[in-house]
Amino acid sequence: MEKDMDLTKEFASCVFTEETMEKYVPSSEIVKYRKCMETGESLSMDTADAIAKGMKEWAISMGATHYCHWFQPLTGGTAEKHEGFISPTGKGKVIMDFSGKELVKGEPDASSFPSGGLRATFEARGYSAWDPTSYAFIADGSLCVPTVFFSYSGESLDQKTPLLRSLSALNRQALRILRIFGDKETKYVTSMVGPEQEYFLIDKELFNKREDLKICGRTLFGSRPPKTQELNDHYFGSIKPRVSAYMKDFEKELWKLGVLAKTKHNEVAPSQHEMAPIYTDCNSANDQNQLTMNVMRQVADRHGLVCLLAEKPFDGVNGSGKHNNWSVATDKGKNLLSPGKTPSQNAQFLLFLAAFVSSVDEYQDLLRSTVAYAGNDNRLGGHEAPPAIISIFLGSELQSVIDSIIQDRSYDGTDVKPIKIGIDTMPFIPRDTTDRNRTSPIAFTGNKFEFRMPGSSQSIAGPNTVLNTIMAEKLCEYADILDKVASEAINDKLHDLIKSEFTAHSRILFNGNGYDKSWVEEARKRGLSNFATTAQAMHHYLDPKNVELMKKHAVMSESEMTARKEIYVEKYCNVLSIEAHTLIDMVRREIIPAVSEFEGSLFRTIADMRALFDGAFQQVERDTCTKLMSCNIRMADLVEKLGEALDKASSLEGDDMADYYHDKVLSLMERIRSAVNEAEVLIPAKYWPYPTYSQLLFSV
Ligand code: ADP
Ligand code: MG
């Protein structure tokens, strides 16, 4: 086998890691930098200058000529503005320059990024500030400095700022709990995240022939091929050479960028695949997932392929998600969601578990809103995607432990005594419960929760911001209670607290089949919310309890939340508007004419046949013509109506607009889709203007 990369040497070779920093920055300055990282104090300009100088030298040695502040605006993607290192010295000469000031703060023109009204038009400036907790890296000849992005008045305009604030909140509250359990060692607590990234890979030439794929990233019609995923022959199947070459290539790029790309396999749908990295701290995982998506798209292009990250590029086959594996760990690497061996460790584990379960129950609506956007609406509740109702799957072993606590009985029927928290150890909980419940939106998998609702294209910052914050809130509530309890009474209090929390929130625990129709009714009886669409979910984003939560933990101010709501609702409407216009265009300009053209040829055939034979011989042609004419009439009529609906939509605002887009625009698009699909199967391939699902899904 050809060996073209020494992974141990090249891993993170494009990243300014602490090890690299040690080579380029004086150790006295590194000591100061590390101290600031620990205490959260700000860096002095001298230290920033020293680090900037080191970064610049390293970047130039790697061939970089530019630097950029790399940030994550509310578009959901990343943004960068590159500045050359060059600085004139007079006499036509330049030097390569990069100061601490340039490292620490940038001033990109923010006027074209979504701000939701946070930025008055007279103050278009936005500021970017270095996030020293995430490593700088080199991409495409530029030194990229991860930054946060905010307005003149200090309000966040990005995904990263609230995420960092939520991590601080989680750290503060989790440390309080650990101290109550006598832990004096732990310096900080953070969440750990491993996002599994699903994607489709299709041929670039075919992609370029479809307006819908090019503009919307998904198909707006297409009849199902005779075979898709029913034989389950793609999932974990052997990877085709062209796909494998692509995967190897992007893995190499990711490794150089320090991304721990680990697992790759074929997914359920034809042409669908997955990449999973090894988990890391939440902030890095978020940055790295953005890099991963960028790299996967760029590398595909070099291979004549297109990497589709849309949630539902093809109707009728599985969509793509981004399973967000989430746990809470200490700086010493101890996983706080891992069942322990001693009674005290178990009590602590059960307390964190209770916090997670009850926080998800209390903030179902907020968590739901973090995965609410147009693309994900096409997926949630569909093939192999969790339903829009939030519930938690614990697995049978853990569920019976919880049940025994709630009901004061033994957990397996063999013990005479019920479990007493803080006194007894728990039964063994297998690390990876193999009876994986794929239909659950949130599943406990032994020592982490897998949140399966995020969509493949989205930033994981939003979901993790909420997971961190709701957990912090519950831990805060518990710490407030436990702080007041004398140490000899702590075990009793813990037992009561855990028992009452599980009792109060057990409705969110569901081990059954989330796809089952009866679950909708059952969930309704339990009082769980069911927001099937973005429009519905966003109605609750600004509920007072959600705003209070974010304010209390200093994650987002009310105005930041109001702005976000505005941006998300507007984006939802914009996406649907673009899709609807694309569909109108494709149907009017290509599909209706193609159908008419074939009809014309059938008319001529029928006329020719009539000259030679009597009527009976023209039946097939006549029937086809009748069906096609009916399709064309329907398409023309629906497209007209869709145009009118779009006009009407533009006169509405906010939630009303979103509701209208969902109820009217989307449903017209669905009706057009079925008329087009009907026509597609009646027409010979040579008349059909677009690549079909068979071609798109089976040609790589
Ligand atoms: P599966 O597809 O069976 O769910 P994978 O191995 O594909 O499993 O993905 C599991 C993901 O969970 C990986 O990204 C892995 O690094 C991550 N993970 C494992 N342990 C933890 C943990 N303690 N906290 C967060 N993520 C974790
Ligand atoms: Mg998984």
Side-chain angles (χ1 to χ4, degrees):
M1 205 184 104
E2 166 201 20
K3 185 169 181 215
D4 53 3
M5 186 180 186
D6 182 347
L7 197 50
T8 52
K9 285 212 184 78
E10 289 196 50
F11 184 79
S13 58
C14 292
V15 183
F16 195 65
T17 58
E18 293 208 25
E19 205 185 329
T20 311
M21 191 190 270
E22 279 162 14
K23 289 190 202 130
Y24 286 89
V25 178
S27 51
S28 57
E29 299 299 335
I30 295 183
V31 171
K32 290 183 204 159
Y33 159 82
R34 291 207 175 116
K35 180 143 182 293
C36 290
M37 289 302 96
E38 254 175 44
T39 59
E41 284 162 34
S42 32
L43 284 178
S44 75
M45 214 18 110
D46 287 345
T47 308
D49 270 330
I51 295 174
K53 186 162 172 284
M55 263 188 198
K56 180 196 72 183
E57 271 166 28
W58 166 73
I60 290 170
S61 79
M62 297 286 293
T65 51
H66 290 66
Y67 73 91
C68 78
H69 274 199
W70 184 75
F71 57 99
Q72 299 166 24
L74 293 168
T75 54
T78 59
E80 54 207 72
K81 179 181 167 202
H82 303 257
E83 302 279 349
F85 285 129
I86 55 165
S87 169
T89 58
K91 301 199 189 98
K93 297 261 185 233
V94 293
I95 52 159
M96 301 291 256
D97 202 19
F98 181 51
S99 67
K101 206 169 135 246
E102 287 163 313
L103 165 66
V104 171
K105 196 165 179 190
E107 214 176 293
D109 179 3
S111 53
S112 296
F113 291 111
S115 84
L118 278 181
R119 208 189 35 232
T121 31
F122 60 86
E123 187 37 272
R125 262 178 300 176
Y127 298 87
S128 52
W130 180 31
D131 166 20
T133 58
S134 184
Y135 295 137
F137 57 91
I138 291 173
D140 196 22
S142 282
L143 168 69
C144 301
V145 179
T147 55
V148 293
F149 181 51
F150 52 92
S151 73
Y152 179 70
S153 44
E155 277 134 335
S156 74
L157 296 174
D158 69 347
Q159 305 272 9
K160 195 193 247 277
T161 308
L163 181 67
L164 291 174
R165 293 177 187 156
S166 74
L167 286 165
S168 301
L170 179 62
N171 175 46
R172 272 193 304 276
Q173 304 304 334
L175 278 181
R176 288 178 68 197
I177 298 287
L178 294 187
R179 299 296 181 250
I180 291 169
F181 279 90
D183 173 342
K184 295 190 185 70
E185 318 279 84
T186 299
K187 286 195 185 130
Y188 67 83
V189 171
T190 188
S191 56
M192 304 297 284
V193 172
E196 299 165 45
Q197 179 70 54
E198 292 181 336
Y199 60 97
F200 279 84
L201 206 55
I202 64 166
D203 190 87
K204 189 158 94 181
E205 250 179 64
L206 296 174
F207 168 90
N208 279 330
K209 290 186 180 143
R210 284 197 64 141
E211 241 27 63
D212 48 2
L213 283 175
K214 278 200 292 183
I215 294 172
C216 316
R218 72 175 184 112
T219 59
L220 300 171
F221 54 81
S223 69
R224 265 175 70 87
K227 170 194 165 200
T228 57
Q229 59 192 45
E230 25 311 269
L231 302 179
N232 290 322
D233 51 354
H234 192 252
Y235 190 53
F236 283 15
S238 71
I239 300 171
K240 287 184 191 157
R242 192 170 169 204
V243 176
S244 174
Y246 161 70
M247 288 174 166
K248 284 187 183 139
D249 221 11
F250 83 63
E251 278 173 334
K252 265 189 231 163
E253 301 267 325
L254 288 177
W255 288 330
K256 285 192 220 159
L257 288 166
V259 179
L260 291 154
K262 168 93 171 157
T263 311
K264 54 182 171 187
H265 59 80
N266 287 351
E267 260 300 330
V268 173
S271 282
Q272 193 189 25
H273 312 277
E274 180 184 299
M275 189 296 280
I278 297 176
Y279 67 99
T280 181
D281 69 278
C282 181
N283 183 30
S284 306
N286 173 51
D287 284 359
Q288 294 189 351
N289 183 252
Q290 288 288 358
L291 278 177
T292 299
M293 291 192 286
N294 287 343
V295 166
M296 282 168 66
R297 277 191 282 243
Q298 282 161 9
V299 173
D301 193 63
R302 298 209 291 263
H303 288 252
L305 298 165
V306 175
C307 172
L308 294 177
L309 293 174
E311 286 65 27
K312 194 81 175 176
F314 304 100
D315 194 35
V317 300
N318 275 14
S320 300
K322 179 141 52 195
H323 296 174
N324 188 83
N325 293 273
W326 183 93
S327 64
V328 184
T330 69
D331 56 315
K332 306 277 181 311
K334 187 175 179 316
N335 182 348
L336 300 172
L337 289 179
S338 202
K341 293 195 181 68
T342 66
S344 157
Q345 286 169 353
N346 278 330
Q348 191 181 296
F349 161 70
L350 286 171
L351 192 68
F352 276 90
L353 189 70
F356 185 86
V357 168
S358 37
S359 68
V360 169
D361 184 32
E362 279 176 26
Y363 293 97
Q364 294 163 48
D365 49 349
L366 187 59
L367 195 54
R368 170 68 182 91
S369 74
T370 66
V371 293
Y373 56 99
N376 218 18
D377 277 7
N378 303 317
R379 161 182 171 263
L380 290 179
H383 287 261
E384 258 236 351
I389 306 166
I390 296 205
S391 66
I392 300 175
F393 168 81
L394 288 182
S396 49
E397 297 87 359
L398 197 53
Q399 183 68 52
S400 51
V401 170
I402 305 304
D403 289 344
S404 79
I405 294 169
I406 295 176
Q407 295 157 17
D408 278 324
R409 59 161 177 76
S410 68
Y411 68 89
D412 60 357
T414 56
D415 258 7
V416 264
K417 269 191 326 111
I419 297 176
K420 189 84 181 107
I421 292 161
I423 309 289
D424 298 324
T425 51
M426 277 199 323
F428 174 69
I429 309 288
R431 171 67 159 261
D432 216 328
T433 16
T434 39
D435 59 332
R436 289 290 187 87
N437 184 334
R438 297 267 161 202
T439 66
S440 179
I442 309 177
F444 184 70
T445 48
N447 61 356
K448 61 178 164 39
F449 281 98
E450 185 171 332
F451 183 33
R452 301 200 179 111
M453 293 172 91
S456 45
S457 73
Q458 84 172 101
S459 157
I460 55 169
N464 285 303
T465 298
V466 168
L467 286 173
N468 297 335
T469 311
I470 61 177
M471 187 71 173
E473 166 59 15
K474 266 292 160 186
L475 294 175
C476 172
E477 215 177 88
Y478 297 172
D480 287 347
I481 295 171
L482 296 171
D483 270 344
K484 295 194 193 84
V485 178
S487 57
E488 52 297 353
I490 200 96
N491 279 342
D492 282 341
K493 188 69 212 175
L494 272 172
H495 188 96
D496 292 348
L497 179 60
I498 290 171
K499 180 178 165 181
S500 71
E501 283 289 89
F502 279 125
T503 309
H505 298 288
S506 63
R507 64 171 184 174
I508 198 83
L509 300 176
F510 177 61
N511 286 346
N513 180 0
Y515 295 173
D516 212 89
K517 290 266 179 298
S518 63
W519 170 229
V520 177
E521 180 49 24
E522 162 76 15
R524 197 188 56 76
K525 278 194 205 136
R526 292 185 183 197
L528 299 176
S529 48
N530 180 5
F531 304 124
T533 67
T534 297
Q536 288 169 17
M538 289 317 290
H539 281 308
H540 295 276
Y541 185 71
L542 291 177
D543 283 357
K545 78 173 203 320
N546 297 337
V547 175
E548 277 314 307
L549 169 85
M550 289 295 168
K551 263 168 47 184
K552 174 173 169 189
H553 295 280
V555 174
M556 274 191 272
S557 67
E558 184 161 2
S559 56
E560 286 173 326
M561 285 191 81
T562 311
R564 264 154 227 260
K565 154 116 196 228
E566 193 177 303
I567 292 168
Y568 297 149
V569 169
E570 190 178 297
K571 185 167 177 196
Y572 172 78
C573 298
N574 280 341
V575 168
L576 288 185
S577 161
I578 292 167
E579 289 184 350
H581 280 111
T582 307
L583 185 59
I584 292 176
D585 226 45
M586 293 174 88
V587 172
R588 274 209 187 122
R589 298 180 51 209
E590 298 277 1
I591 294 175
I592 292 180
V595 172
S596 304
E597 196 183 338
F598 179 52
E599 280 169 358
S601 121
L602 282 176
F603 294 152
R604 285 188 294 279
T605 310
I606 292 167
D608 289 351
M609 287 171 103
R610 195 181 308 144
L612 293 170
F613 310 106
D614 62 27
F617 288 102
Q618 301 144 26
Q619 206 49 50
V620 174
E621 290 73 17
R622 280 173 182 277
D623 285 351
T624 309
C625 253
T626 316
K627 285 183 196 153
L628 281 174
M629 284 190 297
S630 134
C631 285
N632 248 3
I633 291 167
R634 258 159 60 216
M635 286 191 284
D637 175 49
L638 290 167
V639 159
E640 195 64 30
K641 288 202 170 88
L642 184 55
E644 285 160 18
L646 287 170
D647 285 343
K648 169 90 198 292
S650 59
S651 68
L652 301 169
E653 272 178 27
D655 283 344
D656 291 340
M657 191 192 233
D659 285 337
Y660 188 82
Y661 265 104
H662 174 265
D663 299 342
K664 196 76 194 176
V665 174
L666 199 61
S667 68
L668 279 167
M669 286 171 64
E670 285 310 313
R671 288 169 65 196
I672 296 175
R673 179 192 278 273
S674 50
V676 174
N677 290 354
E678 237 175 83
E680 186 188 320
V681 294
L682 293 170
I683 283 200
K686 66 174 180 182
Y687 284 90
W688 194 246
Y690 297 111
T692 62
Y693 271 23
S694 291
Q695 290 168 302
L696 291 165
L697 286 168
F698 293 99
S699 57
V700 174

